[in-house]
């Protein structure tokens, strides 16, 4: 059973740039969620994708967008990067779009915006 | 809006001692409840989850948690802590039904001393 893999592990970008983060979900999982974890904080829900469609969104601006592909892998795109976007971005996959199952998390992508 | 409170930011225990990490939630109904652990530089690992039924839940690595509806609490316990338990612990809640938005607490960092 493969876990959730994220790439890259670390990334440094300049304010105003765009970034794409990638996630391969655990085998058999059809739902992917993205979270932002700022230093010293708990993860904050960005959005969830279920069968290639956005299934829910947290309190993040439209410059945060995503995709899910037929193989259930996913991308998180952030446009017009701001310094406050510096955080650990976590991808989590699950078997269902509802809350019945716990997530399987990846190790995250550490994004630094300078 | 739902919220999760972990009142202890840091806890230090001696190896072999017992551990209790506190978690209180604010929700309109009984939510799904989770505890996750995060080692430095890693993603989150699910320790245990509560949906319904027996209010004492057993998890991995010898952890257990007790749901107390009257106190809106879901405290995590372990009878004897090992040095490898040093990590950050997150309590999380989610609404039953709907998409899987999980709200995390701010975490409790556990230090284990020999």
């Amino acid at each position: 059973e493969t876990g959730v893999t994220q790439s890259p592990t670390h990334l440094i970008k300049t304010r105003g740039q765009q970034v794409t983060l990638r996630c391969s979900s655990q085998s058999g999982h059809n739902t992917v969620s993205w979270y932002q974890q700022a230093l010293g904080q708990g993860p904050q829900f960005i959005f969830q994708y279920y069968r290639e469609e956005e299934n829910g969104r947290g309190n993040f601006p439209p410059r945060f967008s995503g995709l899910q592909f037929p193989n259930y892998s996913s991308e998180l795109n952030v446009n017009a990067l701001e310094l406050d976007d510096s955080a650990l971005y976590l991808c989590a996959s699950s078997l269902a779009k509802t809350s019945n199952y716990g997530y399987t998390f990846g190790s995250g992508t550490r994004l630094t915006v300078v | 809006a739902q919220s999760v409170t972990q009142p202890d930011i840091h806890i230090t225990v001696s190896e072999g001692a017992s551990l209790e990490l506190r978690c209180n939630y604010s929700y309109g109904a009984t939510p799904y409840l989770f505890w996750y652990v995060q080692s430095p530089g890693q993603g989150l690992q699910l320790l245990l989850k509560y949906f319904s039924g027996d209010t004492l839940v057993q998890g991995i690595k010898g952890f257990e948690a007790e749901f107390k509806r009257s106190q809106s609490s879901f405290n995590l316990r372990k009878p004897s802590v090992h040095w490898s338990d040093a990590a950050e612990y997150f309590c999380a809640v989610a609404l039953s039904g709907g998409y899987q938005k999980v709200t995390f607490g701010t975490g409790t960092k556990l230090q284990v001393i020999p």
Side-chain angles (χ1 to χ4, degrees):
Chain A
E1 176 181 275
T2 59
V4 176
T5 57
Q6 293 186 242
S7 62
T9 55
H10 294 83
L11 202 52
I12 299 175
K13 288 287 190 177
T14 303
R15 188 171 50 183
Q17 284 188 314
Q18 179 267 342
V19 69
T20 298
L21 310 181
R22 294 179 174 82
C23 170
S24 294
S25 59
Q26 181 170 315
S27 178
H29 285 186
N30 57 15
T31 304
V32 172
S33 302
W34 286 91
Y35 283 78
Q36 181 196 66
Q37 186 178 17
L39 203 60
Q41 299 296 315
Q44 299 289 317
F45 176 75
I46 302 175
F47 43 56
Q48 180 187 82
Y49 278 83
Y50 173 69
R51 294 186 176 179
E52 302 178 58
E53 294 201 358
E54 188 179 290
N55 186 48
R57 189 177 184 92
N59 190 27
F60 279 81
R63 60 189 184 85
F64 285 78
S65 63
L67 283 172
Q68 187 180 31
F69 300 101
N71 65 354
Y72 303 133
S73 66
S74 178
E75 287 182 353
L76 165 65
N77 299 289
V78 187
N79 293 322
L81 284 167
E82 301 176 0
L83 297 180
D84 284 349
D85 295 333
S86 296
L88 180 68
Y89 287 84
L90 295 166
C91 171
S93 72
S94 57
L95 277 169
K97 62 179 179 176
T98 63
S99 305
N100 300 49
Y101 305 96
Y103 290 125
T104 299
F105 277 89
S107 298
T109 294
R110 173 72 63 187
L111 173 64
T112 303
V113 182
V114 297
Chain B
Q2 62 271 21
S3 66
V4 182
T5 302
Q6 293 181 248
D8 304 305
I9 299 174
H10 286 96
I11 282 185
T12 300
V13 300
S14 299
E15 191 168 13
S18 64
L19 171 70
E20 182 168 25
L21 302 182
R22 297 183 290 165
C23 172
N24 292 94
Y25 65 90
S26 172
Y27 245 104
T30 300
Y32 294 140
L33 297 159
F34 306 88
W35 275 98
Y36 285 87
V37 61
Q38 186 176 36
S39 298
Q42 298 297 310
L44 286 83
Q45 182 182 22
L46 179 67
L47 287 175
L48 47 79
K49 55 192 175 188
Y50 172 78
F51 299 146
S52 64
D54 191 348
T55 56
L56 186 63
V57 180
Q58 301 298 319
I60 62 171
K61 303 185 179 186
F63 285 93
E64 67 178 26
E66 185 172 13
F67 169 61
K68 292 185 177 179
R69 184 190 306 274
S70 61
Q71 298 176 20
S72 296
S73 69
F74 188 57
N75 294 349
L76 182 72
R77 301 194 294 247
K78 186 169 185 177
S80 177
V81 170
H82 188 262
W83 64 266
S84 60
D85 294 324
E88 189 152 23
Y89 292 80
F90 292 92
C91 180
V93 301
L95 283 171
S96 53
Y99 66 87
Q100 193 175 49
K101 177 187 174 182
V102 178
T103 300
F104 287 85
T106 52
T108 298
K109 188 164 289 186
L110 174 65
Q111 181 182 7
V112 180
I113 56 177

